[in-house]
Amino acid sequence: MNRKVIGKIVAGLTLITAAAWTTVSCSKKSNIASIELFSTKGENVATLQKLADKFTAEKNGSIKITIISPQDASTVLRSRLTKNDIPDMMAIGGDSTYTELASAGVLENLSNEPFIADIQENYLQMLYDVNKDTSKTAYAVPYAANGSGVLYNKTLFRKAGISIPKTWDDFTADFDKLQKAGIKPVELTFMDAWTCLPPWNSMAPVLQPKNFTDDRRAGKTTFAATHREILEKYLVILGKASGDYMGTSYNDGNKNFAEGKAAMMINGNWAIPEFTKVNPDIDVDMFAFPSTNNPAENTVTSGIDVAFAVSAASPNKKAAEEFLAFLVKPENAQFYVDEQFAFPTVKGAAQNNKTVNGVKDDIAAGKVSNFPDHYYPSGFDLASILSQFALNYKNGMDNETNITQTLAACDKQYDAVNVQ
């Protein structure tokens, strides 16, 4: 056989081989499920990526996960909803964003998935409570929670000779004891309006009527009729605060607290890593905000920080549910809790950091109340209303006028955005 004939045969075999590999390659590509995971929390993207990489490796690359978290993510997600462009999976908060997506019918009902049994019941109930019809339907899987209360410097408490207050009267008395010891009682950071929310979020669940959320949504009650005591107690805190709290930013306040310039800060566990960046040795802990004089009624404010939802229209729905089942495994949930300094919703995972010892038992036992602003409609800007309330006090407005105007502003704005 001459070289020309051999060359033609070899060339032919090369073409066949190339075609065969192309077919195999296309076949492999067609078998890869590609999942877009949209996170509204930019801080958790690196952690989610590590979990996604581990999952992809376990699946030998058969499922690819792309994680995105744009600026102003909740607004972007709502915009995509109007365009019927829903990501395969979403990591969202247990708030009005979840309510909107669930009520729009774009989320898969996960209630019958086996991994739902691995979620703590109190956090599932929080999810049910923000369903528009409050049905016991899980359109997402609660995955991580946060906690809010009173962060305190244990060293300064010992210096002032005080212990953790269990009642409202003890709490306010401790302000006076700290001041007498030459210690600033509380660091408020109201230059950033959102930090006006934690005192309200701690008191409102305990002090408002039990059915307030449903009754207010239905127009059967008002803030003016139910929330006066909350603002009266808020004014007590403002009256015992010192310094330029309207001109202090969250970052500056965190630095002040970390340096021991104040004994308490009313905020959440998310602030603790900011303290330890400045002062790794700070002896900090948290206790439940003592809203009343009955310790049994006082709760830690804890809500769903991250819940995973799946698009009902996703072509890769089954793959997304496989990833969810992977995430809910205790060892993976624990990894997220440790990296994100979160409280677990998954049974078998635990928050073991000593800086939240004061509240972790209450949270684990379900002695918690959800963040009340998770139930408010989108567009209800309570932070701005409370910021004005604090500024009014700082500027000398009499308390009665300030309370009346603030509650009226709450009702007016709520009614404007409460679209059924």
Side-chain angles (χ1 to χ4, degrees):
M1 189 178 294
N2 63 37
R3 291 181 180 179
K4 187 177 291 186
V5 172
I6 292 173
K8 286 181 178 180
I9 293 172
V10 170
L13 288 172
T14 301
L15 288 172
I16 292 170
T17 302
W21 274 110
T22 300
T23 302
V24 170
S25 177
C26 289
S27 175
K28 283 186 177 178
K29 286 182 181 178
S30 66
N31 289 331
I32 296 175
S34 184
I35 298 171
E36 181 191 18
L37 171 55
F38 187 108
S39 176
T40 58
K41 183 180 175 73
E43 300 90 333
N44 69 3
V45 170
T47 301
L48 292 179
Q49 188 63 61
K50 292 174 187 176
L51 288 166
D53 291 345
K54 180 182 176 183
F55 174 73
T56 298
E58 286 186 9
K59 291 293 179 179
N60 296 317
S62 62
I63 299 176
K64 179 185 177 183
I65 299 168
T66 302
I67 303 170
I68 64 168
S69 184
Q71 292 289 326
D72 202 8
S74 292
T75 301
V76 172
L77 189 56
R78 289 187 179 97
S79 176
R80 289 184 60 168
L81 175 62
T82 64
K83 300 172 184 176
N84 199 30
D85 178 25
I86 309 300
D88 301 292
M89 287 185 70
M90 290 142 279
I92 55 180
D95 52 18
S96 60
T97 299
Y98 165 81
T99 305
E100 288 178 33
L101 291 167
S103 60
V106 300
L107 302 183
E108 181 71 4
N109 182 352
L110 302 170
S111 302
N112 295 322
E113 293 297 324
F115 47 72
I116 289 294
D118 298 323
I119 306 300
Q120 293 182 37
E121 288 75 10
N122 56 312
Y123 289 109
L124 281 172
Q125 187 60 51
M126 286 182 186
L127 196 74
Y128 302 151
D129 288 343
V130 292
N131 282 335
K132 204 160 191 178
D133 59 359
T134 65
S135 66
K136 291 185 179 297
T137 309
Y139 293 107
V141 178
Y143 193 68
N146 47 29
S148 181
V150 183
L151 300 157
Y152 74 106
N153 185 313
K154 296 169 75 173
T155 302
L156 295 181
F157 264 47
R158 286 192 293 269
K159 182 179 177 181
I162 59 177
S163 55
I164 295 173
K166 301 295 185 182
T167 68
W168 172 255
D169 287 347
D170 287 344
F171 184 47
T172 56
D174 284 346
F175 277 78
D176 298 331
K177 292 175 183 176
L178 286 161
Q179 286 178 328
K180 286 179 181 177
I183 299 169
K184 182 179 179 180
V186 64
E187 186 74 46
L188 301 178
T189 58
F190 290 177
M191 177 183 280
D192 292 302
W194 72 267
T195 68
C196 298
L197 288 170
W200 174 286
N201 281 341
S202 290
M203 290 186 282
V206 177
L207 300 177
Q208 70 189 16
K210 184 177 181 181
N211 296 320
F212 173 78
T213 299
D214 293 337
D215 289 346
R216 187 64 190 86
R217 189 183 293 125
K220 296 178 180 179
T221 190
T222 62
F223 285 96
T226 57
H227 281 55
R228 175 170 290 272
E229 183 182 358
I230 296 164
L231 291 188
E232 288 173 346
K233 289 183 171 179
Y234 206 128
L235 286 172
V236 172
I237 295 169
L238 294 179
K240 292 182 178 294
S242 59
D244 181 21
Y245 52 80
M246 296 305 299
T248 302
S249 70
Y250 177 62
N251 289 338
D252 287 342
N254 286 338
K255 184 173 183 292
N256 291 341
F257 186 86
E259 292 175 347
K261 295 178 181 177
M264 294 182 285
M265 179 182 280
I266 305 168
N267 216 306
N269 63 293
W270 51 83
I272 295 175
E274 303 306 311
F275 304 155
T276 55
K277 286 177 187 176
V278 177
N279 178 10
D281 298 322
I282 185 172
D283 195 5
V284 63
D285 204 340
M286 185 191 296
F287 60 84
F289 191 105
S291 303
T292 74
N293 282 326
N294 183 351
E297 293 179 354
N298 299 325
T299 59
V300 178
T301 304
S302 178
I304 300 167
D305 186 45
V306 175
F308 287 104
V310 175
S311 167
S314 170
N316 294 307
K317 188 162 43 181
K318 292 301 179 185
E321 290 170 359
E322 281 187 57
F323 184 41
L324 254 179
F326 165 87
L327 290 170
V328 168
K329 290 180 179 178
E331 64 270 22
N332 296 324
Q334 187 67 55
F335 177 81
Y336 185 96
V337 164
D338 292 341
E339 281 225 342
Q340 290 293 307
F341 193 54
F343 291 100
T345 65
V346 176
K347 297 172 184 176
Q351 175 49 264
N352 298 310
N353 194 299
K354 67 178 184 178
T355 62
V356 289
N357 277 345
V359 296
K360 72 175 187 179
D361 288 344
D362 283 342
I363 291 176
K367 193 185 176 187
V368 298
S369 295
N370 197 0
F371 288 81
D373 57 352
H374 283 187
Y375 302 104
Y376 302 150
S378 177
F380 181 54
D381 188 4
L382 179 60
S384 293
I385 294 173
L386 291 175
S387 177
Q388 185 62 52
F389 171 74
L391 182 61
N392 290 344
Y393 177 82
K394 194 75 170 175
N395 289 338
M397 179 181 285
D398 75 272
N399 290 346
E400 180 58 31
T401 301
N402 196 7
I403 289 172
T404 301
Q405 286 189 4
T406 300
L407 293 176
C410 286
D411 284 317
K412 182 178 180 180
Q413 191 178 119
Y414 187 101
D415 288 337
V417 297
N418 184 31
V419 180
Q420 297 295 324

